Amino acid sequence: MKAVIIIPTYNEKGNIKKLVETLETDVFPEIKTWNMHILVVDDDSPDGTAKEVEELIKKYKNLHLLHNGEKAGLGAAYIKGMSLAVEKLTPDVLFEMDADGQHDPKKIPDFLKKIDEGNDLVIGTRYSQGGSIPENWPPIRKIYSIFGNLLVRTIFGRFAIHDWTGGYRAMRVSVFLKEKNEMGEFRGYTFQVSFLHKAARDGFKIAEVPFHFTDRTLGNSKIAPGEYIVDLLRYVITARFREVLHSSFPKFLIVGGFGFFINAFLYDQLVRNTHLPIALANVVAAQFAIFSNYNFNNVWTFKAHKANSVLAYFSKMLQFFATSNIGVILIQSGTIQIGDMLYGEQYYRIYFLIGTFFLLIWNFTVYSKVIWKKKTAF
Ligand SMILES: Nc1nc2c(ncn2[C@@H]2O[C@H](COP(=O)(O)OP(=O)(O)OP(=O)(O)O)[C@@H](O)[C@H]2O)c(=O)[nH]1
Ligand SMILES: [Mg+2]
């Protein structure tokens, strides 16, 4: 198996030499089952980074250099470098790694081990047990990094991935080939976040390797944390919004809306035309709404997980009636009952609306998490 470590550089003279030598003399000899290569992608660094790499190439046959032209950002350098590596070196795995020594090269075998175990994408993480960010970072940078990651995790609801913005990663070539065409416009940290987000969306198996992110000792930062924050927020929010629109939630609302009218209409009729206590009238009316919701959800909202045998249809329906009735009786009719006891029957429609609102929250959680449960790793 072959792996290529892609290292983008812009003014990393000194750093790149140190990193290449560590990789070649300390790290690669320890790796027995993988054929390791390095590809440096340099954007015409004025400090002579490319020259330094050219010198090293004379010594190391598995070291390669791409003169990538004018500085065009980290994302573009990765896409070009990886495409070239895939074409010329036909690797199985591609690494992303910074040139400045912040990504502990001794962790490379851990990444490869995770790949050997069957993972598609391995993320170096600073925010899970065994990982860290530099102590001496100014508070503002720590805040950007910690809260930025927390925000991304929360908005995407993918808490199992701890580090979204880091750039120390290994991936199977299949992951890169699948996502590369969608990656064109992303810059800075958005490149890292969007790549990971798309890979997770597409169901690739993702694992993490914790590492200590050390401070840069030579040269200057090219990615300012503040600079890309608006870009990043825009991506995360719009991507999540699209995800929700394409998810089952809007259909769920339509089906639930229809059920709501059935429930409301029958409840109203029963309260006005019978002597049933209003909470009980709602329980009766709700059974018709539940029946309608079950069938519409089964064939439409959650159709990917639809019950497709008679037995599954009835057993799911039983489960659906049972769980829905917990909500109907305890939450919806419970609210109606409390209203009835406190203020009397005359406001029965208001109690119904309040109770139904609480019920909606309960129902979506139960339906999507239990009844039509999907299997996802992350
Ligand atoms: N080819 C290329 N490489 C880049 C570009 N911008 C950044 N890099 C490289 O990408 C890697 C990460 O950039 P850094 O400046 O180290 O970003 P950072 O690690 O978030 O910031 P520090 O903690 O200050 O180092 C380094 O190897 C840079 O040389 C670019 O436009 N083109
Ligand atoms: Mg760096």
Side-chain angles (χ1 to χ4, degrees), residues 18 56 62 77 102 108 116 147 162 183 186 210 218-219 249 251 274 279 294-295 302 314 340:
K18 203 165 149 224
L56 290 161
N62 58 349
Q102 290 179 297
I108 286 176
D116 285 333
F147 284 98
H162 294 85
M183 295 304 303
F186 303 117
L218 265 181
F249 194 66
K251 288 182 182 172
T274 69
Y294 175 73
N295 285 290
F302 302 101
F314 282 107
D340 191 10

Side-chain angles (χ1 to χ4, degrees), residues 103 123-134 137 141 145 149 162-167 189 209-214:
H103 294 157
I123 304 295
T125 164
R126 301 162 291 181
Y127 301 107
S128 51
Q129 194 102 50
S132 67
I133 53 173
W137 264 6
R141 178 137 194 211
S145 193
N149 269 291
H162 294 85
D163 195 337
W164 288 80
T165 50
Y189 296 105
V209 168
F211 76 102
H212 297 290
F213 191 67
T214 50

Side-chain angles (χ1 to χ4, degrees), residues 8-10 12 41-43 71-74 77 98-100 102 137 141 189 213 215-216 220-223:
T9 52
Y10 190 75
E12 301 287 2
V41 185
D42 185 60
D43 280 8
K71 183 171 182 340
L74 184 69
D98 286 2
D100 53 14
Q102 290 179 297
W137 264 6
R141 178 137 194 211
Y189 296 105
F213 191 67
D215 207 4
R216 183 186 257 285
N220 300 322
S221 221
K222 282 100 211 170
I223 302 185

Side-chain angles (χ1 to χ4, degrees), residues 140-185:
I140 187 75
R141 178 137 194 211
K142 284 188 182 161
I143 290 168
Y144 271 135
S145 193
I146 295 169
F147 284 98
N149 269 291
L150 207 60
L151 199 72
V152 175
R153 286 167 77 197
T154 312
I155 295 177
F156 285 152
R158 293 181 186 274
F159 291 97
I161 301 173
H162 294 85
D163 195 337
W164 288 80
T165 50
Y168 193 11
R169 298 174 174 182
M171 71 188 77
R172 284 180 201 278
V173 166
S174 55
V175 181
F176 169 67
L177 292 178
K178 172 99 176 110
E179 311 303 350
K180 78 176 233 195
N181 294 332
E182 283 189 63
M183 295 304 303
E185 79 253 45

Side-chain angles (χ1 to χ4, degrees), residues 68-340:
N68 195 37
E70 263 179 37
K71 183 171 182 340
L74 184 69
Y78 269 127
I79 297 288
K80 286 246 212 95
M82 288 181 171
S83 304
L84 183 78
V86 169
E87 190 191 326
K88 300 271 190 233
L89 301 166
T90 57
D92 301 285
V93 162
L94 296 162
F95 271 83
E96 286 180 21
M97 192 178 194
D98 286 2
D100 53 14
Q102 290 179 297
H103 294 157
D104 181 3
K106 304 232 159 58
K107 290 281 174 186
I108 286 176
D110 293 357
F111 282 79
L112 292 172
K113 188 160 168 267
K114 294 275 182 196
I115 296 278
D116 285 333
E117 286 168 6
N119 294 293
D120 301 305
L121 175 59
V122 187
I123 304 295
T125 164
R126 301 162 291 181
Y127 301 107
S128 51
Q129 194 102 50
S132 67
I133 53 173
E135 287 264 314
N136 60 341
W137 264 6
I140 187 75
R141 178 137 194 211
K142 284 188 182 161
I143 290 168
Y144 271 135
S145 193
I146 295 169
F147 284 98
N149 269 291
L150 207 60
L151 199 72
V152 175
R153 286 167 77 197
T154 312
I155 295 177
F156 285 152
R158 293 181 186 274
F159 291 97
I161 301 173
H162 294 85
D163 195 337
W164 288 80
T165 50
Y168 193 11
R169 298 174 174 182
M171 71 188 77
R172 284 180 201 278
V173 166
S174 55
V175 181
F176 169 67
L177 292 178
K178 172 99 176 110
E179 311 303 350
K180 78 176 233 195
N181 294 332
E182 283 189 63
M183 295 304 303
E185 79 253 45
F186 303 117
R187 301 181 307 136
Y189 296 105
T190 313
F191 173 79
Q192 304 294 9
V193 171
S194 57
F195 193 94
L196 181 49
H197 176 238
K198 289 171 199 303
R201 171 202 67 188
D202 292 337
F204 284 111
K205 261 186 99 181
I206 301 170
E208 294 187 322
V209 168
F211 76 102
H212 297 290
F213 191 67
T214 50
D215 207 4
R216 183 186 257 285
T217 47
L218 265 181
N220 300 322
S221 221
K222 282 100 211 170
I223 302 185
E227 197 180 318
Y228 293 112
I229 199 99
V230 176
D231 237 26
L232 179 62
L233 272 180
R234 189 186 309 124
Y235 172 78
V236 174
I237 292 168
T238 52
R240 181 66 188 142
F241 190 67
R242 276 197 213 118
E243 232 172 39
V244 169
L245 277 185
H246 286 115
S247 75
S248 32
F249 194 66
K251 288 182 182 172
F252 174 83
L253 284 185
I254 294 170
V255 171
F258 190 60
F260 170 80
F261 283 112
I262 296 178
N263 192 346
F265 175 75
L266 292 177
Y267 171 65
D268 212 66
Q269 293 299 315
L270 288 172
V271 172
R272 287 199 286 166
N273 302 319
T274 69
H275 296 293
L276 284 176
I278 59 171
L280 188 61
N282 182 60
V283 174
V284 175
Q287 303 314 306
F288 294 88
I290 295 173
F291 185 74
S292 152
N293 285 1
Y294 175 73
N295 285 290
F296 280 121
N297 277 333
N298 194 40
V299 296
W300 191 44
T301 320
F302 302 101
K303 68 169 183 285
H305 313 278
K306 167 178 159 186
N308 41 20
S309 72
V310 178
L311 188 67
Y313 174 84
F314 282 107
S315 78
K316 270 195 176 200
M317 185 153 81
L318 199 69
Q319 199 189 2
F320 190 83
F321 263 91
T323 43
S324 300
N325 270 311
I326 297 173
V328 165
I329 294 167
L330 295 181
I331 299 172
Q332 192 189 29
S333 281
T335 309
I336 294 172
Q337 180 66 25
I338 292 168
D340 191 10

